[in-house]
Amino acid sequence: MTHKAIVLTFLQFCLTWTGSQSQTPTKALYYKDCPVDLFFVLDTSESVALRVKPFGSYVDEVKDFTVSFIEQLKASYYRCDRSLKWNAGALHYSDEVKMIKELSSLPDQKADLNKRVRDVQYIGKGTYTDCAIKRGTEELLIGGSHRRENKYMIVVTDGYPLEGYKEPCGGLEDAANEAKHHGIKVFAVAISPSHLETRLNVIATDNSYRQNFTATGNIQQQKDETIRNIIDVIVKESEQVCCSFDCQPPRGPAGEAGASGFGGESGRPGLPGGKGEAGDPGRLGDIGPIGYQGMKGDKGGRGEKGDRGNKGYKGEKGQHGIDGIDGKKGEAGFPGLPGCKGSPGLDGVSGGSGPKGDPGPYGIKGSRGEKGRDGERGRPGNSGNLGSKGEPGVRGVNGDKGERGDEGEPGPDGPKGEKGSLGERGAPGTPGARGLRGDLGEPGPPGEPGREGSIGLNGDPGDAGPPGPKGYKGDEGPPGPEGAKGPKGTKGAPGDPGLMGERGEDGAPGNGTEGFPGFQGYPGARGDPGTNGTKGYPGPKGDDGEPGDPGADNEVSGPPGPKGAKGHRGKEGPGGPVGPPGPPGADECEILDIIMRMCSCCECKCGPLDLMFVLDSSESIGMQNFQLSKDFIIKVIDRLGRDERVKFDENESRVGVVQYSHKQTEELVAMGSADIKSIQDLKEAVKNLKWIAGGTFTGSALSFSRTNLLDRFRLENRFALVLTDGRSDTLRDSTPLNELCAVNTQVVAVGVGDIFKKQPNTEQLGQIACSRGIILQRDNYAELLDDSFLQNLTAHLCKEKKCPDYTCPISFTSSADITILMDSSTSVGHRNFETKKQFVKRLAERFLMAKKPSQATVRVSVVQYSGSQQQSVEVPFSRNYTELASGIEQIQFLNSGTDVTAALDYVTSQYRGARANTNKKVLIFSDGRSQGISEEVIQKTVAEARAAGIEIYALAVGSQVNEANLRLLVSDRKGAYNVAYGARHLFRVSDYPSLLRGVFYQTVSRKISLIS
């Protein structure tokens, strides 16, 4: 049939239909021939369900939005005599897709669909949006109407996660493109706030299907507008599709069935079907001809590594099988760890023996069950009989030399021994306990002179004692001050010449000038002529002849002559003037500080300790934050090893990490595992941990950590550091969060804000930390790597250090008032100011606890200074350390200028009218730099303070100091800088942390306590 004939037939049909309609008046039938298929895809993952409390509230809002949307889906009549019919269905998803209801006709199935939506329980794990969109595409293509132009999908999600794990169904962009390819229009509706707009734009077909649509929030009007706008778009687009026919007269009665039409065009390829069942085996084929042997093919390349599969579910327990034949006795296993001693049970009443039961029938042999878990260690058996003595073993290899043991207790006094010969002087030993007073012994030989003591007060002259025996010559002391010149004595008689001694060693090179050459000797007389001898060998070179007559003057200088012989040593020159006295030698505190810095055994040591990290790897953490969490764990381990000298080893301190998300996703890496031999292996394993991106079951993770990791730890000093956002899904995870409270473990709960910038749940953090633990909170994961936070955390982990007790005592001989003048200027900084406060508290404690006469008192006050008008007494004079420490802690950093002279004037005014017969001392923190001062101003201020009886001490921190001003601050009573006086009154330290290291504070307090 030609094209022209088809057109004529169609026109004839239209004319016939019109004529029959006008001749036979029949009731019109309205066909519901404009169906629209609408499918809802709802996100119920962890990032939605656990974002705010109460958990699941956002999911409830999404369900309310969906029900409200379905209620507003009502039939519409188009002007082209078509009626709009709605078909709707829904699913919800997380890391799995769950069908709510397939596409169903509305309004018949509206009530059932709404009921099923309201009954949805969130999944609360990972977010596989690509899988959900593809499943929705399948439902729209398989079910609903045949018109693909009227198929719509509404995806309600927050768009997370942005990155970090491979999407299992090809990715979000691939799923969205597939829906577009099949003609499905996709609306993207946000779960606000904190949604990812970029991901929603990928989901939406184009910008007109996004339009800031939202399904959650406090503004109901905005959600209603979203529903109304989406329905309007669908109704308008459907009208254009349904009313696009050229011939649409009023409907008449149904005509007779027409002839069969021509075959239509081939349809688009359908979706791949499911895997079919295995077919029946075919018959055995005929034997083919023998082929030639082929050549060996090339080796194929290594295939790509497959994706990690989902963790399988635990299989059901098999039935009990018939008891098998006893196997051979196995080899002895490794001895297990000793179990904890159980509490003694009550003695039970012995019951009577019951009658023996009849043997039951044998059951059917069951399939082999799964291997059971290792049972708990049984109770220890009764002690066996003592075995016979074994043969002596082979002598072992000599062990390493042990460390020197502790000093033993002094033993009882033995009998008096014979007097031994004088031995060599040994090293000074530790002082023993004072024994009973012994009998007066024979006078020993004179001892070596002791160290020179400090200069005491001049006593009254005593009576002249009898002349004692002549002592040994003492060591040469330091040169004393030059005394008054005495009268010239008479010249003594010359002594007898002594015997010539042996040649001494060559002395040090002299400092005399080079001597002049000696006078040449005169020539000797000529001898008698001898007999002629045989011709001899050439003789040695003769002596230089007499100098000839001087020649004519020559202005050109000749070549330099050879270097002359070394001259004789000249006479010793006169002695120089007496130099100033040198600084005093190191006192006990400084010697102790030198010993502690040179001796590694004198340092305070942390550990050993066992450390467990529990790492939240849920979806709300985010990929970038998860990487920061792993960096944080490695930095804590490195700081403990570097700063606190913790040695992580199988025999000392141990560490382990547990990462978790929802149930049965826990992953453990710990020292002691088969593939982890060192701390470097463990850090590498932590770096290789993959983000799980699922739900949050913190209680189950803590229970897993307790069972699988804490049992490995054997030390009493152990910590558990739990890193989470503090929002565990307690609705579905019934395991309590206080799982670690029953074990002897100090818990540190670190709560960090998540990707939505939500603050951690403090209530859950408190349950995790128990009553004896601590809670630390950070706004974001980047703050975990802050240097001060890491320092405070490692200091808490090592708060119980083992330190040797080295102290040098101080004492006061009379009453003293000590003022500590704290610099609070900008150059100090807030953190250094806090360190300075800790140092001042140590000084105050030393001063108040020092020994002193019964009638003497020691008081301490603290003054803070900054600019010219910024001086204040923060803590007045007090003898109570508790009051002083509390007042020092409350001092606030001023962060302003620096005026040293104004601060000294202020302190001098405070001391006027102070109690009499009291030593007044001031320790000022200063680097010598001050605003608008000169040497004359400093000298005047220091002189006024000295006139008021104040002794000034200065403490300079760092290398950027004004040396001239510091020397003026500690000048002596004559106003000049004295080396010895300055060494006792000026203290230096390289940086502020060094204030708290070693025995520096003991050195400062000791020198201030001495009388100048």
Side-chain angles (χ1 to χ4, degrees), residues 645-962:
R645 291 179 171 81
V646 177
K647 183 179 181 182
F648 290 103
D649 187 77
E650 186 65 25
N651 299 323
E652 292 196 22
S653 300
R654 297 198 291 182
V655 64
V657 180
V658 175
Q659 78 151 336
Y660 73 95
S661 184
H662 46 269
K663 198 167 187 179
Q664 296 180 349
T665 58
E666 295 87 358
E667 187 175 355
L668 169 64
V669 291
M671 296 184 67
S673 302
D675 54 344
I676 297 180
K677 305 298 183 183
S678 65
I679 190 63
Q680 295 299 328
D681 294 341
L682 181 124
K683 290 193 288 188
E684 193 65 29
V686 171
K687 293 178 182 178
N688 295 332
L689 290 176
K690 303 298 183 183
W691 181 36
I692 300 175
T696 310
F697 287 13
T698 306
S700 298
L702 296 178
S703 177
F704 174 89
S705 305
R706 175 182 176 181
T707 305
N708 295 276
L709 184 55
L710 283 183
D711 289 347
R712 297 188 186 184
F713 292 165
R714 59 183 181 272
L715 298 177
E716 292 294 329
N717 187 24
R718 54 186 179 180
F719 293 87
L721 199 152
V722 184
L723 186 61
T724 178
D725 56 8
R727 284 199 297 278
S728 178
D729 191 354
T730 54
L731 297 179
R732 295 185 301 159
D733 182 17
S734 58
T735 309
L737 295 174
N738 57 354
E739 271 290 309
L740 302 181
C741 297
V743 294
N744 184 22
T745 302
Q746 302 180 56
V747 183
V748 180
V750 182
V752 192
D754 59 10
I755 53 178
F756 307 111
K757 299 181 180 179
K758 297 288 186 181
Q759 292 300 316
N761 188 332
T762 55
E763 180 182 353
Q764 290 192 3
L765 292 176
Q767 296 177 27
I768 295 172
C770 313
S771 58
R772 63 179 179 273
I774 64 171
I775 300 174
L776 303 176
Q777 294 191 45
R778 301 282 95 182
D779 292 336
N780 55 69
Y781 279 81
E783 294 183 6
L784 293 176
L785 305 182
D786 182 66
D787 187 71
S788 60
F789 177 74
L790 290 170
Q791 183 177 357
N792 293 335
L793 178 61
T794 53
H796 173 75
L797 297 178
C798 292
K799 60 183 178 181
E800 296 181 1
K801 294 184 179 181
K802 297 179 180 178
C803 302
D805 185 15
Y806 291 116
T807 56
C808 53
I810 65 173
S811 61
F812 290 89
T813 58
S814 60
S815 298
D817 286 344
I818 304 172
T819 297
I820 302 175
L821 199 53
M822 297 179 62
D823 183 2
S824 187
S825 60
T826 304
S827 60
V828 176
H830 185 273
R831 184 185 303 174
N832 293 334
F833 188 77
E834 294 297 321
T835 303
K836 186 188 298 185
K837 287 175 15 179
Q838 300 303 318
F839 176 74
V840 171
K841 287 199 296 184
R842 291 188 181 184
L843 290 180
E845 183 179 15
R846 288 268 292 174
F847 291 143
L848 298 180
M849 300 300 176
K851 294 181 180 180
K852 51 187 174 295
S854 58
Q855 70 277 9
T857 58
V858 176
R859 302 188 305 172
V860 179
S861 69
V862 180
V863 174
Q864 180 180 205
Y865 79 95
S866 185
S868 58
Q869 300 295 327
Q870 293 175 304
Q871 303 90 27
S872 60
V873 178
E874 300 292 345
V875 183
F877 281 113
S878 175
R879 293 181 293 174
N880 189 322
Y881 174 72
T882 304
E883 295 178 357
L884 277 165
S886 176
I888 293 171
E889 279 296 331
Q890 296 175 8
I891 299 177
Q892 298 297 322
F893 180 52
L894 297 179
N895 193 22
S896 186
T898 308
D899 195 335
V900 177
T901 55
L904 283 176
D905 289 338
Y906 179 82
V907 173
T908 302
S909 64
Q910 295 293 320
Y911 271 109
R912 291 193 177 98
R915 53 180 183 164
N917 300 324
T918 301
N919 294 320
K920 305 178 184 65
K921 299 174 182 287
V922 173
L923 172 63
I924 180 171
F925 285 84
S926 174
D927 55 7
R929 295 181 294 179
S930 184
Q931 298 173 345
I933 63 170
S934 60
E935 294 184 3
E936 293 77 9
V937 175
I938 296 178
Q939 288 176 345
K940 178 183 177 182
T941 304
V942 172
E944 291 176 353
R946 192 178 297 111
I950 300 175
E951 189 173 359
I952 301 175
Y953 298 82
L955 197 159
V957 181
S959 58
Q960 303 296 326
V961 298
N962 189 319

Side-chain angles (χ1 to χ4, degrees), residues 32-302:
K32 299 177 180 179
D33 53 0
C34 189
V36 173
D37 299 333
L38 183 62
F39 204 83
F40 293 90
V41 178
L42 310 179
D43 184 356
T44 61
S45 63
E46 192 233 19
S47 62
V48 177
L50 305 185
R51 188 183 302 186
V52 295
K53 292 190 68 176
F55 295 150
S57 58
Y58 269 163
V59 176
D60 293 339
E61 288 191 45
V62 171
K63 292 191 295 183
D64 293 341
F65 169 82
T66 306
V67 170
S68 177
F69 201 115
I70 295 172
E71 288 294 337
Q72 297 186 40
L73 295 178
K74 298 178 181 179
S76 300
Y77 176 74
Y78 295 137
R79 291 173 297 176
C80 62
D81 196 22
R82 294 289 189 271
S83 294
L84 177 64
K85 172 188 174 182
W86 293 96
N87 298 321
L91 62 81
H92 72 105
Y93 72 96
S94 178
D95 62 347
E96 59 179 322
V97 178
K98 291 187 177 182
M99 186 62 60
I100 300 175
K101 188 175 178 62
E102 296 81 2
L103 279 172
S104 305
S105 176
L106 301 183
D108 300 339
Q109 300 295 324
K110 179 181 292 186
D112 182 58
L113 178 58
N114 286 340
K115 178 180 180 301
R116 294 193 183 193
V117 170
R118 290 191 180 98
D119 293 341
V120 166
Q121 299 294 325
Y122 68 84
I123 304 173
K125 297 182 182 178
T127 310
Y128 294 169
T129 308
D130 55 340
C131 299
I133 293 178
K134 288 195 173 184
R135 179 64 183 276
T137 302
E138 293 178 8
E139 293 295 324
L140 285 170
L141 295 178
I142 295 173
S145 69
H146 63 282
R147 294 186 182 276
R148 295 191 177 181
E149 295 83 357
N150 289 352
K151 292 184 180 290
Y152 295 88
M153 186 188 305
I154 297 178
V155 181
V156 183
T157 180
D158 58 0
Y160 285 92
L162 179 62
E163 58 181 359
Y165 68 95
K166 185 176 181 181
E167 296 170 307
C169 296
L172 184 63
E173 188 172 356
D174 180 70
N177 289 335
E178 182 178 340
K180 296 174 186 176
H181 173 72
H182 290 290
I184 298 173
K185 289 92 170 179
V186 183
F187 290 92
V189 180
I191 299 177
S192 302
S194 301
H195 59 271
L196 291 178
E197 187 66 31
T198 55
R199 300 268 290 182
L200 294 174
N201 289 332
V202 172
I203 295 173
T205 302
D206 56 42
N207 293 335
S208 61
Y209 294 87
R210 175 67 191 97
Q211 294 186 21
N212 295 326
F213 297 140
T214 181
T216 58
N218 298 326
I219 305 176
Q220 184 63 34
Q221 181 182 0
Q222 187 176 6
K223 292 184 285 186
D224 294 340
E225 288 180 358
T226 296
I227 297 175
R228 186 167 54 254
N229 291 338
I230 293 177
I231 293 178
D232 291 344
V233 171
I234 296 175
V235 170
K236 290 180 181 179
E237 290 184 354
S238 300
E239 183 179 9
Q240 295 175 3
V241 174
C242 295
C243 299
S244 60
F245 301 106
D246 295 333
C247 177
Q248 292 185 351
R251 296 183 181 180
E256 298 179 358
S260 301
F262 297 100
E265 298 179 358
S266 300
R268 295 180 181 174
L271 296 173
K275 185 177 181 181
E277 298 179 356
D280 298 332
R283 67 177 182 83
L284 188 64
D286 298 332
I287 300 175
I290 300 174
Y292 297 101
Q293 182 176 2
M295 298 177 64
K296 184 177 181 181
D298 297 331
K299 183 178 181 180
R302 184 174 182 179

Side-chain angles (χ1 to χ4, degrees), residues 430-591:
T430 56
R434 184 179 181 89
L436 300 175
R437 183 178 182 87
D439 299 330
L440 185 63
E442 297 179 1
E448 296 181 1
R451 294 172 55 188
E452 183 179 2
S454 57
I455 302 174
L457 300 175
N458 295 331
D460 297 332
D463 298 331
K470 185 176 181 181
Y472 296 103
K473 183 178 180 181
D475 297 334
E476 184 177 358
E482 185 176 3
K485 189 173 182 180
K488 185 175 182 181
T490 58
K491 185 175 182 181
D496 297 332
L499 298 176
M500 185 174 181
E502 297 178 356
R503 177 180 176 83
E505 297 179 356
D506 294 336
N511 56 359
T513 58
E514 186 175 356
F516 297 98
F519 180 75
Q520 187 174 3
Y522 295 101
R526 186 179 182 87
D528 297 332
T531 58
N532 295 331
T534 59
K535 185 176 180 181
Y537 296 98
K541 184 179 180 180
D543 299 329
D544 295 335
E546 296 180 4
D549 297 332
D553 293 337
N554 186 4
E555 296 180 357
V556 179
S557 59
K563 186 177 181 180
K566 186 176 181 180
H568 297 287
R569 181 176 180 178
K571 295 182 180 180
E572 187 174 354
V578 178
D587 62 5
E588 295 180 23
C589 286
E590 292 171 326
I591 294 174

